[in-house]
Amino acid sequence: MEQLFSYGTLRSKQIQMQVFNKVLTGTADKLLGYKLKSLQIEEEFGMADYVVAVASENPSEIIHGVVFNVTLADLAKVDLFESNAYKRVQVTLKSGTVAWIYMEN
């Protein structure tokens, strides 16, 4: 299994059903040394507001989120779901868990 850290829309049960056709179970965790930045993405009916993780110059900044156990097939689905504004990279969370995260491309 792979670990996926979500700080945004993938925490929504509705979005999980849309992307994975199932609801994920997860554990709260934190990503240190990163912050959230506002991001506008063009969608079918106009611009939508989202957030994206970016590295911070302040190592005490924290992003709160949830770690989900997912399969490689699940990660491929998220790759298709996320826009080109995001890239998937591995990070180490406060708990010591190594997880995939989508951050600014």
Side-chain angles (χ1 to χ4, degrees), residues 14-67:
Q14 180 181 353
I15 297 295
Q16 291 173 14
M17 286 301 295
Q18 178 186 331
V19 174
F20 306 110
N21 203 30
K22 62 185 175 187
V23 174
L24 304 175
T25 55
T27 306
D29 210 330
K30 299 172 186 170
L31 179 60
L32 304 178
Y34 287 79
K35 62 184 178 180
L36 295 177
K37 174 180 148 182
S38 294
L39 177 70
Q40 284 206 319
I41 297 176
E42 187 172 351
E43 294 189 341
E44 186 178 356
F45 300 107
M47 299 301 283
D49 294 318
Y50 292 93
V51 292
V52 62
V54 294
S56 172
E57 294 177 10
N58 181 350
S60 67
E61 289 210 60
I62 297 172
I63 296 176
H64 297 268
V66 178
V67 180

